Amino acid sequence: MNSLEINAKIINDEIITDDMFERVGTKGLSGETLNKPSLTYWADVWRRFKANKLAIVGLILLILVVLTIYIGPLLSGKDYQYMDSSVKSLKPNSQYWFGTDDMGRDIFTRVCVGGRISILIGLSCTLVMFIIGSLLGAIAGLKGGLADNLIMRFSEFIGNLPYLIIVLILSIVLGRSIFSLVLAMSLTSWVGTTRMVRGQILQIKEQDYVEAARALGSDTKRIIMKHLLPNTLGIIMVTITMSVPSFIFGEAFLSYIGLGVRAPKTSWGALASAGQQRLMFYPHELFFPCLMIVLTMLAFHLIGDGLSDALDPKLRK
């Protein structure tokens, strides 16, 4: 008998024929189904960030806070400096949503305008911290030797300076202004970023792609900007996200003790300081600026936690 005609095989003394097998179709096995769409690094980070519900809540909360402080005065139609003696110390109502202060000024509008200054100071201090800390940390980690020793010793000296003394000195020399406040708060903030970036650079500067760039004649600036800093950007972004609420709270504390922005400008800390003096009889004057501080800090911390998980390569699926 021709084995080709019966299309059978003998395995271990048993006859196997085609009738014993069931043909499986290709349904569900197409290339589109089997092959997942390729994702870039940041697309994958966004995918994992979206999967974190608390991070999305923080992002939505931050968007609502920003929209409130910028659109709020337009909705209320009131000037944050306008004083009306006939409406002093009113509780929240349909006309004055957050009530009025002891000078008849609309607290809602003042909270919105104060929020702009508080967030501006927080972002400005964070930007200065990021630029100085990243560049010095990258140079120290890549160069090593004398440059590393000088930068690290200088950062230790700056980090040991008393924070409040610096603020007092700059307030006396430059006056109480947003510029002097940002300068004072940023003067020592970059130290931690420098150490963090330096540690990351020391880990990756011996990688093959860095050695290849150096062998091809790339200078230090190009290696730092094209290879080293992009590979430390993940942890830097998490640090930035966590630093913004710290600076906002720091500004609120300085304004609370009288070292913040000078009137007629205001901030959440200045409003909280004014409201604290009238807490027993008019608690709403303290409650609303403090509520905005808490919501903003909570939003940034939730976003920072989400970014930390999304940028962690160990959690990639």
Side-chain angles (χ1 to χ4, degrees), residues 213-225:
R214 188 181 289 111
L216 291 173
S218 298
D219 56 7
T220 302
K221 178 182 177 181
R222 181 175 179 81
I223 292 175
I224 290 175
M225 301 304 296

Side-chain angles (χ1 to χ4, degrees), residues 69 98 107-115 268 271 288-289 292:
I69 64 177
F98 287 180
I107 294 179
F108 174 77
T109 307
R110 292 180 63 78
V111 167
C112 293
V113 175
W268 285 337
L271 292 172
F288 289 110
M292 297 300 288

Side-chain angles (χ1 to χ4, degrees), residues 116-138:
R116 298 176 188 177
I117 295 178
S118 294
I119 292 182
L120 173 63
I121 291 175
L123 293 176
S124 300
C125 293
T126 303
L127 181 63
V128 174
M129 178 198 72
F130 166 70
I131 294 174
I132 297 178
S134 299
L135 291 179
L136 290 181

Side-chain angles (χ1 to χ4, degrees), residues 234-275:
I235 191 170
I236 291 176
M237 287 185 61
V238 176
T239 303
I240 288 175
T241 309
M242 294 296 189
S243 297
V244 174
S246 299
F247 285 121
I248 292 176
F249 184 78
E251 180 277 328
F253 169 73
L254 293 175
S255 297
Y256 186 82
I257 62 177
L259 297 176
V261 296
R262 185 187 296 272
K265 292 184 175 66
T266 188
S267 66
W268 285 337
L271 292 172
S273 177

Side-chain angles (χ1 to χ4, degrees), residues 20-307:
M20 298 180 179
F21 296 93
E22 179 181 356
R23 181 176 294 276
V24 179
T26 58
K27 183 179 180 181
L29 298 177
S30 62
E32 295 181 357
T33 308
L34 289 176
N35 298 325
K36 293 183 179 179
S38 60
L39 293 176
T40 63
Y41 173 74
W42 292 111
D44 184 57
V45 169
W46 172 242
R47 178 184 62 82
R48 286 186 285 160
F49 182 83
K50 290 190 299 182
N52 190 326
K53 292 183 174 56
L54 288 179
I56 295 298
V57 169
L59 181 60
I60 295 174
L61 183 60
L62 180 61
I63 292 174
L64 291 177
V65 169
V66 172
L67 289 177
T68 299
I69 64 177
Y70 281 99
I71 300 179
L74 299 177
L75 297 177
S76 66
K78 298 178 176 61
D79 185 0
Y80 80 102
Q81 298 186 54
Y82 178 73
M83 294 179 287
D84 187 354
S85 58
S86 63
V87 292
K88 291 183 178 179
S89 302
L90 292 181
K91 293 183 179 181
N93 55 64
S94 58
Q95 185 176 1
Y96 298 96
W97 301 334
F98 287 180
T100 59
D101 60 10
D102 58 334
M103 296 184 182
R105 295 173 295 191
D106 180 46
I107 294 179
F108 174 77
T109 307
R110 292 180 63 78
V111 167
C112 293
V113 175
R116 298 176 188 177
I117 295 178
S118 294
I119 292 182
L120 173 63
I121 291 175
L123 293 176
S124 300
C125 293
T126 303
L127 181 63
V128 174
M129 178 198 72
F130 166 70
I131 294 174
I132 297 178
S134 299
L135 291 179
L136 290 181
I139 294 172
L142 182 63
K143 286 291 188 180
L146 180 61
D148 186 16
N149 286 329
L150 288 176
I151 292 175
M152 286 297 101
R153 299 297 80 76
F154 179 67
S155 65
E156 289 176 1
F157 169 74
I158 294 295
N160 289 326
L161 293 176
Y163 177 68
L164 287 178
I165 298 294
I166 295 175
V167 177
L168 286 172
I169 293 174
L170 291 178
S171 297
I172 294 173
V173 175
L174 301 176
R176 286 171 52 189
S177 63
I178 295 178
F179 174 76
S180 63
L181 196 59
V182 171
L183 181 61
M185 296 176 67
S186 304
L187 193 59
T188 60
S189 62
W190 55 268
V191 174
T193 305
T194 299
R195 292 172 179 169
M196 179 192 65
V197 173
R198 173 182 175 269
Q200 292 292 314
I201 295 299
L202 290 175
Q203 293 180 7
I204 66 177
K205 74 174 184 177
E206 302 298 335
Q207 298 293 324
D208 293 340
Y209 61 89
V210 178
E211 294 293 339
R214 188 181 289 111
L216 291 173
S218 298
D219 56 7
T220 302
K221 178 182 177 181
R222 181 175 179 81
I223 292 175
I224 290 175
M225 301 304 296
K226 295 293 184 179
H227 300 288
L228 298 183
L229 284 182
N231 285 280
T232 62
L233 191 59
I235 191 170
I236 291 176
M237 287 185 61
V238 176
T239 303
I240 288 175
T241 309
M242 294 296 189
S243 297
V244 174
S246 299
F247 285 121
I248 292 176
F249 184 78
E251 180 277 328
F253 169 73
L254 293 175
S255 297
Y256 186 82
I257 62 177
L259 297 176
V261 296
R262 185 187 296 272
K265 292 184 175 66
T266 188
S267 66
W268 285 337
L271 292 172
S273 177
Q276 184 269 340
Q277 302 174 17
R278 296 158 54 81
L279 175 62
M280 293 297 296
F281 300 100
Y282 307 103
H284 65 278
E285 295 185 21
L286 176 63
F287 173 77
F288 289 110
C290 290
L291 175 64
M292 297 300 288
I293 294 173
V294 171
L295 292 178
T296 305
M297 294 183 65
L298 176 63
F300 273 107
H301 278 292
L302 291 177
I303 294 173
D305 288 338
L307 282 177

